[in-house]
């Protein structure tokens, strides 16, 4: 079957969320005004800072990388019906395990060291995603709550390690006690793409993974089953899919991708584990994935857009003197508006079907026979 | 002497436990009402933060604690209206929209704190109000009847919620809307209206819970992210409580005792890093959730399911 790329569906699927983001920014303008800034000037500077300068553009991409990786995991989890709010914690754990590996084996040759650091980060995040996954699958524990709680636990664990076991020996020697780890060796670092900018080769890894996740979700049996579980749990059970296995698998993969994002932040950007390495990407990644229609490839431009938004909003403090908490306000508004717009998207797309049925009724064409009442479904 | 010391410590722990149960009670009972009507309000944490800031700011500026509380009620009502609009009218995925409301609350409270006050200020919160006669009961008197009025109000809300949910027409409507909105709808109950009311009341109670964290304390102060996950724990509490007010009471005490305990460990230096006690409530929450869902789970059937007339999900 030939699929037209540009049709009404695509227009609605992208147009409605874009309009939602726009509306969120309009409401955000109100708060910018309250904060004493001229909203138009603030937004103009936001987008200019993020997209109009060499530094801004590279930093936008630097932010887009973890957003995309987290977002890919969210695509997998949400498509399987697991509302994973725990990317933040999974990312922290991945950053910890990835850094720990890189610090423990500084003698390995560069490609191996980087590869195994990635694997360590992925494994750390995967294990941390496994916990809510297995609890949901076998004990029916609400995954939203467990992942939220695990975020707080991961954050404390990170503090604990950075003030103790993993603290930079130099910090201890000088008695400064700044909570950060020693820096990783040169060989463990990802290459930077252009001089005097932090943009690193992790961006290629993220895009490659987006393609892999797309293939996994739409071109393999595993992906088909995961989506089936997410679409209709009972039908999947009835169809003989081992749903519990796929619930856990989706969380393992989502956690692993978030963990990888954590490791890449360390080996690509900071070169050490520091407090706040996750920087809210775990939450913003959810928004990026939703805005990208929970589609791995759609999440690529979406992550870039939110990278720009985040960077621009962070710079607001410097450019127009608005407190940095404004970032959260704008982010919260964007989430609320984008999630709400989902209903409108569905309605616009459904209308055609409804109109069809109406015509059948009006023109007296034999309406399809009522289906026998279904048993309790999806409850 | 050491026995006396131990008794004082335990008494202090219990007194703090009862006090710290208050935000869990307000937020948990409110969340329970909301969930009973079929709406998962995950934004409680953010609404608590807004209530905490607004009440403190208004009380600080006006010098009137009750005015602060009123402001928290209004702010909570507004956030409830927003939450209800998003999850009832716009039929958003409640797990995600709630996180949005949380981030928004975190941002708004932080933003306006920076804009209006900027630095940490303190003031006197609601004073203790010892109840005559009852306060003289040994142990119990000191633990239960020498607190401020918000603590008593929270405790009174337990039987009140119970009565509202099980003994009033409104409660019956709430339960029917949460269990079988289609049947309720066919009987002429407005699912939308009932859900709006429940979400708004629940949000107001979350906001009051936040206000307790500032103006309900002897030494009232607002700091960024003052709720520190208590709102999320309040949501978890409702699952633990199996949607029953008495369960919420039990859960609130369980978590407040852990809270009191971990605060105490942080203060007295016993050689373990402070992060470990801080982690404790979250880990206990997960364990408790895992244990409490064993066997039959009797949650409202329509929980998190938006209602569309004629579309059965």
């Amino acid at each position: 079957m030939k699929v037209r790329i540009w049709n009404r569906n695509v227009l609605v699927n992208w147009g409605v969320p874009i309009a939602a983001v726009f509306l969120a920014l309009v409401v955000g303008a109100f708060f910018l005004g309250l904060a004493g800034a001229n909203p138009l000037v603030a937004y103009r500077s936001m987008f200019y800072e993020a997209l109009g300068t060499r530094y801004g553009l590279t930093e936008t991409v630097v932010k887009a990388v973890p957003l995309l990786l987290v977002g890919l995991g969210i695509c997998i989890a949400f498509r399987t019906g697991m509302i994973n709010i725990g990317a933040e914690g999974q990312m922290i754990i991945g950053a910890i395990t990835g850094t720990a590996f890189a610090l423990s084996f500084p003698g390995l040759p560069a490609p191996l060291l980087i590869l195994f650091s990635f694997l360590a980060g992925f494994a750390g995040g995967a294990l941390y995603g496994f916990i809510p996954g297995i609890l949901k699958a076998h004990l029916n524990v609400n995954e939203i709550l467990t992942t939220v709680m695990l975020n707080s636990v991961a954050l404390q664990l990170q503090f604990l390690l950075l003030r103790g076991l993993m603290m930079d020996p130099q910090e201890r020697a000088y008695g400064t006690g700044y909570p950060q780890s020693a820096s990783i060796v040169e060989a463990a670092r990802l290459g930077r793409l252009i001089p005097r900018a932090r943009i690193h080769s992790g961006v290629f890894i993220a895009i490659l993974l987006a393609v892999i996740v797309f293939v996994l979700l739409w071109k393999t049996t595993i992906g088909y089953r995961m989506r089936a579980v997410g679409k209709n749990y009972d039908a999947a059970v009835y169809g003989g899919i081992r749903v519990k296995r796929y619930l856990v698998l989706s969380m393992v993969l989502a956690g692993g991708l978030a963990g990888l994002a954590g490791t890449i932040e360390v080996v690509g950007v900071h070169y050490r584990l520091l407090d706040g390495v996750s920087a809210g990407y775990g939450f913003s990644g959810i928004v990026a994935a939703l805005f990208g229609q929970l589609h791995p490839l759609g999440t690529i431009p979406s992550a870039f857009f939110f990278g720009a938004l985040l960077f621009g909003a962070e710079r607001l403090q410097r450019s127009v003197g608005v407190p940095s908490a404004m970032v959260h306000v704008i982010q919260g508004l964007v989430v609320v508006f984008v999630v709400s717009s989902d209903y409108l998207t569905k309605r616009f797309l459904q209308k055609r079907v409804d109109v069809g049925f109406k015509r059948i009724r009006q023109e007296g064409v034999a309406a399809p026979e009522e289906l026998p009442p279904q048993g309790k479904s999806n409850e | 002497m050491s026995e006396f010391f131990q008794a004082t410590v335990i008494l202090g722990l219990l007194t703090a436990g009862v006090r710290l149960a208050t935000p869990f009670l307000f937020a948990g009972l409110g969340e329970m009402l909301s969930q009973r009507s079929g709406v998962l309000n995950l934004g409680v944490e953010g609404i608590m933060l807004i209530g905490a800031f607004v009440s403190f700011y208004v009380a600080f500026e006006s010098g009137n604690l009750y005015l602060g509380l009123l402001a928290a009620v209004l702010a909570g009502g507004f956030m409830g209206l927003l939450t209800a609009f998003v999850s009832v009218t716009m039929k958003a995925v409640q797990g995600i929209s709630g996180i949005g409301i949380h981030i928004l609350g975190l941002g708004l409270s932080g933003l306006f704190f920076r804009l209006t006050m900027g630095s940490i200020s303190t003031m006197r919160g609601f004073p203790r109000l010892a109840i005559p006669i009852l306060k003289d009961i040994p142990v119990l008197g000191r633990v239960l009847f020498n607190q401020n009025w918000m603590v008593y109000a929270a405790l009174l809300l337990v039987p009140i919620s119970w009565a509202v949910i099980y003994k009033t027409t409104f409660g019956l409507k709430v339960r029917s809307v949460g269990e079988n909105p289609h049947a309720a709808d066919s009987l002429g109950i407005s699912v939308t209206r009932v859900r709006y009311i429940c979400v708004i009341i629940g949000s107001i109670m979350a906001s009051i819970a936040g206000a307790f964290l500032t103006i309900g304390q002897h030494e009232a102060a607002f700091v960024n992210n003052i709720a520190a996950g208590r709102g999320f724990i309040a949501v978890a509490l409702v699952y633990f409580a199996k949607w029953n007010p008495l369960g919420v009471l039990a859960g609130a005490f369980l978590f407040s005792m852990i809270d009191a305990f971990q605060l105490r460990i942080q203060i007295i230096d016993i050689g373990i890093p402070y992060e470990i006690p801080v982690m404790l409530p979250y880990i206990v929450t997960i364990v408790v959730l895992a244990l409490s869902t064993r066997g039959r789970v009797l949650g409202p059937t329509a929980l998190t399911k938006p209602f569309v007339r004629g579309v059965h999900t």
Side-chain angles (χ1 to χ4, degrees), chain B residues 171-225:
Chain B
L172 186 66
K173 282 183 185 172
V174 171
R175 283 182 289 143
S176 64
V177 163
E179 284 301 333
N180 194 337
H182 296 282
D185 182 59
S186 69
L187 291 172
I189 299 170
S190 166
V191 176
T192 308
R193 215 184 85 183
V194 171
R195 287 188 173 171
Y196 260 80
I197 292 172
C198 290
V199 171
I200 290 172
I201 293 177
S203 301
I204 289 175
M205 283 167 71
S207 191
I208 294 175
F212 180 80
L213 296 177
T214 52
I215 59 172
Q217 306 296 311
H218 189 59
E219 189 85 0
F222 178 85
V223 291
N224 267 331
N225 204 8

Side-chain angles (χ1 to χ4, degrees), chain A residues 63-92:
Chain A
K63 286 196 182 306
V65 170
L67 288 178
L68 177 54
L69 286 168
V70 167
L72 293 174
I74 296 299
C75 288
I76 298 176
F78 280 26
R79 288 271 176 190
T80 316
M82 293 291 276
I83 304 196
N84 175 25
I85 309 292
E88 190 80 3
Q90 292 146 9
M91 197 174 157
I92 291 174

Side-chain angles (χ1 to χ4, degrees), chain A residues 139 142 144 160 163 343 379, chain B residues 42 90 92 239 273 275 293 313:
Chain A
L139 290 174
N142 186 312
I144 303 175
L160 182 66
R163 291 198 314 122
Y343 173 61
E379 284 181 350
Chain B
L42 207 62
M90 298 308 284
Y239 286 78
E275 287 91 350
T293 52
T313 48

